[in-house]
Amino acid sequence: MREYSYQQHHMGTEVSLSFVCNEVALADTIATQTFATIHDYEQRFSRFLPQSELATLNRCGSGTVSREYLAILERSLQLVELTGGAFNPLIQVATLGYHTTYATLREQCASITPVQYDTDCRKILVDEAHQHVTLGTNQQLDFGGILKGYLANMLADQLTDTYQECMGSIINIGGDLATRGTDELHEPFMCMLYNPITGREVPVRVTDGSLATSGTYARRWQTNQGGRHHVIDGATQKNPTNSLVAASIIHYDGALAEALTKLFLTRG
């Protein structure tokens, strides 16, 4: 058994894959299929692509959606309840100037214009039988808060079910990752966790689980009202003011792990 690694850029971040297999041909096949699925989800759920499924529903306010969309929406609504609203897919980070890709955003000074929007998820109407979703007035969805963890976890499970001959795997989408099985030495996968306070990396074992990290120290940009970052307190619709700068959660469910990082960062 050998561990084969791959890297591409998707969802505005680096995606790293590792597979422990007997043959490179098998690892290549798995990598090709995995990158294709990640690309598909980016095309469906990017708010920066006008024709994406997410952008289309936000623009129209109502419409028929795919099963993939419905699954993520339903999981998002569950996580709103579990986190007491600390995670909320109706929070609009664009209102803090994040209205273009981060690669473009960090090279400019964004403009903030006050916008009123509604974060009451009870106003979202979901007709599961007909796969139809209707948003409330002044509502738009953004799954960016959990999508990477959700997708990494889903892909890891699918890979395990489909390729039993793959002894281990890591799906890492911009630092939100899922592992299954073991490495080529039959040991648990060791991941390096960055500490923004000390500047050091700490090794942590992640076995058949997910690791999600979110922080206020990295994805920052300048606006006409000062510096901003992507973590938003739904109660104030502004960046939180507590002293926490990063949170990392290990849990089997990657979407829940990501949502819990928001709970810590917004509630302190």
Side-chain angles (χ1 to χ4, degrees), residues 145-182:
I146 63 163
L147 183 59
K148 292 183 295 179
Y150 174 96
L151 185 55
N153 195 79
M154 183 195 79
L155 289 169
D157 280 342
Q158 288 181 350
L159 188 159
T160 300
D161 291 341
T162 306
Y163 297 99
Q164 287 82 10
E165 59 270 48
C166 180
M167 188 179 76
S169 63
I170 303 176
I171 312 294
N172 185 341
I173 307 178
D176 292 319
L177 60 87
T179 74
R180 298 293 184 270
T182 58

Side-chain angles (χ1 to χ4, degrees), residues 120-131:
D120 186 352
C121 291
R122 294 170 298 181
K123 296 179 181 179
I124 301 174
L125 303 180
V126 180
D127 181 347
E128 294 186 30
H130 298 92
Q131 294 176 217

Side-chain angles (χ1 to χ4, degrees), residues 17 45 48 128 132 134 153 166 173 192 195 208 222 232:
L17 310 177
F45 298 108
F48 304 124
E128 294 186 30
H132 193 275
T134 300
N153 195 79
C166 180
I173 307 178
M192 302 306 294
N195 183 329
D208 294 335
Q222 290 298 315
I232 299 178

Side-chain angles (χ1 to χ4, degrees), residues 5-17:
S5 298
Y6 307 82
Q7 191 168 37
Q8 289 185 10
H9 191 85
H10 295 281
M11 294 184 168
T13 190
E14 292 303 317
V15 177
S16 300
L17 310 177

Side-chain angles (χ1 to χ4, degrees), residues 96 109-110 112 220-229 239:
L96 296 188
C109 182
I112 295 180
R220 305 183 68 95
W221 59 92
Q222 290 298 315
T223 76
N224 59 342
Q225 297 183 23
R228 295 291 187 272
H229 56 75
N239 293 147

Side-chain angles (χ1 to χ4, degrees), residues 88-104:
N88 190 321
L90 291 172
I91 291 175
Q92 296 181 28
V93 69
T95 61
L96 296 188
Y98 198 166
H99 46 67
T100 185
T101 62
Y102 184 67
T104 301

